[in-house]
Amino acid sequence: MTDRLFAVARYWWSYRYFVRSAIRNDLKARYARSKLGLLWALVQPLAMVLIYTLILSHLMAAKLPATSTVYAYPIYLMSGMLAWTLFSESLARGLGIFVEQGELIKKVAFPRALLPIIAFGSASINGLALLSMMLVVFLFLGHWPTLHSLWVPAMFVLTVWFGLSIGLLLGLMNVFFRDINQAVPVILQFLFWLTPIVYAVPMLPVEYHGYFDWNPVAKLTAAFQDVILYQGNPAEWHLLMIAGIALLFTALSAGLYLRVRHELADHL
Amino acid sequence: MSVLISVENLGKAFRSYPNARQRIKSWLGLPTHNVQDVWVLRHLNFEVYSGEAVGLIGENGAGKSTLLKMIAGTLAPTEGQIQLFGEVRAILELGMGFNGEFTGRENARHGLSMMGLSAEEAEALLPEVEAFAEVGEYFDRPLRTYSSGMQMRVTFAVATARRPQVLIVDEALAVGDAYFQHKSFEKIREMQQAGTTLLIVSHDRGAIQRICDRVILLENGQISREGEPEAIMDYYNAMLANKGNERHSVESEMREDGRVATTSGTGEAEITTVELRDADEGTPVEVATVGQTLELVVTVAIHDPVEELVIGYVIKDRLRQDVFGTNTHYLKAVRSDLKPGQTLNYRFRFPCHLGEGSYSFSVAAHADDTHVRQNYHWRDLACTFEVVNAQQDRFLGVAWLPPALSIEQNHGDSQ
């Protein structure tokens, strides 16, 4: 048994260059024939931050809890946007990976279990680019990192995993029902506005506050806002809960994969 | 010889669900209704030994590609199992999931990584791949600018960059120009000689017979025959020629010399004897000399009314490649309205303009100018003979085309 596990592990390990090459290709393919390449991945969230800051800054700043910086609202916005972008990008990666790599799946035999790893890698690199870009902006605004910022790497990985685990389950279903690919952006748009990113919970009437307890993404944005803007600790209990959900979805994805793997290539 | 591929009770079904609900139920492990399995392949059992070259033939839709994909590991079997005892590499329907936006070099690098190579190993093999593909400066241009032949060149070069224990080739040889076809054929041969086991799907009879030791014929998702390439190919061709005709039968018979002769047909007219004779003396000929005048005598018995009768023959070489063929339609001697009980004697006289070697006659009685529509009787290996060169100057090849030679020397040319 252990021999067998060892053999499988060695087999996977022999594909490490493939994983690296696939991640690089995945990033390159998305920005093929564009001059700015990866920069485009940053333009979208930053443009949104800029727009909301210009429009809502005065309205919102007064309503955020007291902070040490005058740029509270842009920083609040960017913290939430970072969490949201990591989540939605990872979800999209997981959702698309089977169909996008369909040709490969149909024509080449390689360990299929590497696909989520490739998706994780490509989503992480995109996310790291965004994170470093935002870090530059924070420094520029005079908002320096503190010891609490050490939470960021853990939250980063957690968010990517969370988004990816849901994305993979939807991605497997999407191979058979392509409607899912169409429905997800619509649902995400609703979810974006149901999550306190542009606004803050205290701005809403108290009777609605309870609803946010049902939105796990709100827990993630809150964690990023707590650490980055308020320079405190996130609610560890909430992060554990997110990890639990991610674990559940990972298990569901794996379970569904085992059930449909005989048919998967036939539908690509 | 050790077993490299072992296929046991293999089956592949494409499953269709009546609606989305049934499919989702199957995901949850709940009982489902009206799920239909369309079996593409079923109950396959065979083994491939190391160093062997096996050809897979069959009509479109017989399941050849599905079988290859399952052995290559890109399709999962529905039932049964495939055991592999070696590294398998496949060239399936053009391409390895290459990306058109990337250059040939980038795709080649990625393709090598897909074989589980490390960065250094891949980098070391790249120059070889580039040299073999011979696409010149296109190697550093995006793949989308390539012709399909050029894409094939790169794909083939990548797939064969390292000699695998098993190489699976699906129709790939048919793509590309004659030069590269020849080159890739040589490469496959080379790997075969170095010990690689081959599994090949091709409609090219010549290629199958030159490479394969054994041929498996798939019919309706099952192995209908397997054996020696020449015999199976004959059987397959006879089967194709008579599709959709219920009266038609195909039989194979082992001859004394160990070769298998295939006969087929609906039987209205029967080729009773086929004999090769010396045209002048009328004696039977088993060994002919180059330049001798020969006569092929074909006797046909009519068993049922026949509206139109054409007799044709093909002289084939040792590899069963056609050397020469004709029929009484081409020769404008079609007979019509023949009654049962009649017997016809056809005498084809011809000079033996053949090179040294062994040849055979395939003889057919049919209705049209081809035997595809109505085939009364068709006999492969109906008669065999050797050609030796006793009197003529030495020459090469299967055809004797003696030239008249003259050499002129121009006097003014010297120094």
Side-chain angles (χ1 to χ4, degrees):
Chain A
M1 185 64 197
T2 45
D3 275 3
R4 204 172 145 64
L5 276 176
F6 199 65
V8 169
R10 210 169 33 207
Y11 178 58
W12 285 19
W13 180 242
S14 74
Y15 276 91
R16 62 198 180 281
Y17 175 54
F18 166 66
V19 171
R20 221 166 70 203
S21 178
I23 293 172
R24 194 177 48 217
N25 277 5
D26 189 58
L27 292 170
K28 253 167 74 177
R30 268 197 285 171
Y31 307 110
R33 288 200 252 176
S34 80
K35 297 272 176 270
L36 296 181
L38 195 58
L39 277 180
W40 285 114
L42 313 178
V43 169
Q44 165 86 5
L46 288 179
M48 274 174 90
V49 167
L50 194 66
I51 291 166
Y52 291 125
T53 307
L54 289 174
I55 299 173
L56 302 172
S57 208
H58 284 290
L59 207 65
M60 297 291 193
K63 297 186 179 165
L64 283 176
T67 52
S68 57
T69 165
V70 286
Y71 299 110
Y73 182 65
I75 293 169
Y76 176 85
L77 202 52
M78 278 193 276
S79 316
M81 200 66 92
L82 177 60
W84 175 261
T85 310
L86 282 177
F87 164 73
S88 61
E89 275 287 308
S90 311
L91 195 149
R93 294 282 68 215
L95 176 62
I97 190 119
F98 297 101
V99 173
E100 282 161 23
Q101 304 288 348
E103 282 302 297
L104 205 60
I105 294 173
K106 274 193 293 186
K107 287 184 176 160
V108 185
F110 64 93
R112 306 294 191 237
L114 298 177
L115 283 174
I117 299 175
I118 293 166
F120 188 89
S122 115
S124 297
I125 289 176
N126 260 315
L128 274 176
L130 183 66
L131 180 66
S132 12
M133 186 70 139
M134 285 192 172
L135 192 66
V136 172
V137 179
F138 293 147
L139 295 178
F140 185 72
L141 296 178
H143 193 69
W144 294 85
T146 61
L147 217 53
H148 297 288
S149 309
L150 290 175
W151 275 100
V152 172
M155 294 185 326
F156 180 98
V157 172
L158 181 63
T159 311
V160 173
W161 177 31
F162 178 67
L164 194 62
S165 66
I166 299 171
L168 285 173
L169 186 67
L170 294 173
L172 279 171
M173 295 175 173
N174 183 50
V175 172
F176 303 95
F177 303 111
R178 300 288 168 104
D179 308 66
I180 291 172
N181 194 25
Q182 306 295 330
V184 166
V186 181
I187 296 167
L188 280 182
Q189 210 156 16
F190 277 103
L191 191 60
F192 177 81
W193 289 102
L194 289 172
T195 307
I197 297 167
V198 175
Y199 56 89
V201 180
M203 298 172 194
L204 301 176
V206 182
E207 62 259 43
Y208 295 119
H209 290 191
Y211 291 121
F212 293 101
D213 288 339
W214 296 98
N215 179 357
V217 188
K219 305 273 180 278
L220 279 170
T221 52
F224 276 81
Q225 289 151 356
D226 286 342
V227 171
I228 296 174
L229 174 65
Y230 301 117
Q231 303 185 321
N233 285 331
E236 290 97 337
W237 164 242
H238 286 167
L239 295 186
L240 270 177
M241 202 176 75
I242 298 282
I245 298 173
L247 195 65
L248 176 71
F249 274 99
T250 307
L252 285 176
S253 303
L256 183 60
Y257 175 77
L258 291 178
R259 257 192 220 280
V260 301
R261 75 185 155 146
H262 295 286
E263 296 173 73
L264 200 64
D266 309 342
H267 289 264
L268 285 168
Chain B
M1 279 198 297
S2 58
V3 175
L4 258 193
I5 304 171
S6 157
V7 171
E8 270 172 67
N9 191 33
L10 184 70
K12 175 73 186 176
F14 291 102
R15 190 158 285 181
S16 67
Y17 295 84
N19 51 40
R21 211 172 62 212
Q22 298 302 328
R23 185 184 288 282
I24 291 165
K25 273 188 180 176
S26 82
W27 291 353
L28 300 172
L30 298 172
T32 50
H33 307 287
N34 299 322
V35 174
Q36 279 185 330
D37 283 341
V38 179
W39 290 93
V40 183
L41 287 169
R42 206 161 194 194
H43 306 314
L44 293 193
N45 287 290
F46 65 89
E47 284 174 343
V48 177
Y49 300 93
S50 66
E52 220 187 352
V54 177
L56 273 177
I57 57 170
E59 293 172 72
N60 293 334
K64 296 168 305 220
S65 296
T66 306
L67 176 58
L68 288 193
K69 281 181 193 162
M70 283 196 285
I71 295 172
T74 59
L75 271 191
T78 310
E79 63 178 28
Q81 60 175 341
I82 301 170
Q83 278 179 291
L84 299 171
F85 303 95
E87 187 192 2
V88 178
R89 189 105 65 242
I91 310 174
L92 303 169
E93 315 160 10
L94 254 185
M96 307 173 67
F98 284 170
N99 188 322
E101 292 297 337
F102 299 161
T103 66
R105 186 182 305 279
E106 289 166 332
N107 273 305
R109 199 179 276 139
H110 189 56
L112 291 171
S113 83
M114 275 186 276
M115 299 172 187
L117 298 187
S118 71
E120 300 76 40
E121 287 169 317
E123 219 52 51
L125 281 173
L126 264 182
E128 250 172 80
V129 171
E130 183 178 3
F132 191 85
E134 286 188 70
V135 293
E137 56 199 54
Y138 270 90
F139 202 56
D140 288 303
R141 291 192 198 164
L143 214 67
R144 66 187 148 81
T145 63
Y146 284 33
S147 68
S148 61
M150 288 163 80
Q151 284 192 31
M152 183 60 224
R153 284 174 172 226
V154 175
T155 307
F156 188 91
V158 170
T160 58
R162 271 235 302 220
R163 189 177 72 79
Q165 275 162 293
V166 181
L167 181 68
I168 294 177
V169 184
D170 185 4
E171 296 286 359
L173 294 177
V175 192
D177 51 25
Y179 168 73
F180 198 76
Q181 271 188 31
H182 182 80
K183 189 173 169 177
S184 45
F185 196 81
E186 283 307 305
K187 177 89 175 188
I188 289 176
R189 264 269 175 88
E190 229 171 75
M191 291 205 273
Q192 184 186 15
Q193 267 147 25
T196 291
T197 300
L198 297 176
L199 208 50
I200 288 179
V201 163
S202 176
H203 289 290
D204 177 357
R205 175 174 188 151
I208 292 262
Q209 285 187 192
R210 261 176 294 162
I211 292 188
C212 298
D213 310 308
R214 183 154 65 104
V215 170
I216 294 174
L217 171 61
L218 285 180
E219 221 180 323
N220 302 323
Q222 300 198 310
I223 295 178
S224 83
R225 299 227 161 182
E226 63 173 295
E228 222 206 319
E230 123 175 333
I232 303 294
M233 289 306 289
D234 280 343
Y235 176 84
Y236 176 56
N237 285 350
M239 190 188 98
L240 279 189
N242 299 287
K243 261 186 80 78
N245 194 332
E246 282 175 24
R247 192 172 162 181
H248 181 263
S249 69
V250 179
E251 282 163 32
S252 304
E253 189 187 329
M254 181 80 95
R255 288 160 32 113
E256 281 168 29
D257 60 2
R259 299 172 87 180
V260 177
T262 304
T263 58
S264 66
T266 48
E268 288 91 340
E270 187 193 356
I271 299 163
T272 51
T273 59
V274 175
E275 203 179 8
L276 186 66
R277 296 180 187 164
D278 180 278
D280 301 322
E281 293 169 21
T283 51
V285 168
E286 276 178 26
V287 179
T289 56
V290 177
Q292 186 181 1
T293 307
L294 300 170
E295 190 174 58
L296 179 74
V297 184
V298 177
T299 310
V300 181
I302 309 298
H303 298 310
D304 287 303
V306 167
E307 257 182 55
E308 191 182 67
L309 181 67
V310 173
I311 302 295
Y313 67 89
V314 180
I315 301 176
K316 296 186 174 195
D317 69 5
R318 192 178 48 81
L319 294 171
R320 300 265 183 121
Q321 313 265 22
D322 296 352
V323 174
F324 177 85
T326 187
N327 62 39
T328 56
H329 178 85
Y330 296 155
L331 299 170
K332 300 187 182 60
V334 179
R335 301 298 299 264
S336 47
D337 288 326
L338 300 166
K339 304 279 178 296
Q342 283 182 304
T343 310
L344 293 96
N345 259 317
Y346 285 81
R347 290 165 190 274
F348 300 92
R349 236 178 116 104
F350 63 96
C352 180
H353 283 184
L354 296 166
E356 283 192 302
S358 122
Y359 296 88
S360 70
F361 281 100
S362 290
V363 183
H366 46 88
D368 236 313
D369 62 329
T370 63
H371 47 247
V372 174
R373 226 187 53 197
Q374 177 65 48
N375 172 29
Y376 304 128
H377 195 192
W378 176 0
R379 287 173 61 179
D380 272 313
L381 285 175
C383 168
T384 56
F385 65 106
E386 295 280 330
V387 173
V388 295
N389 187 1
Q391 289 136 14
Q392 311 301 335
D393 299 321
R394 279 185 59 185
F395 65 95
L396 301 174
V398 292
W400 181 51
L401 309 169
L405 175 69
S406 66
I407 303 172
E408 283 163 30
Q409 186 161 357
N410 293 339
H411 293 288
D413 288 356
S414 55
Q415 269 53 279

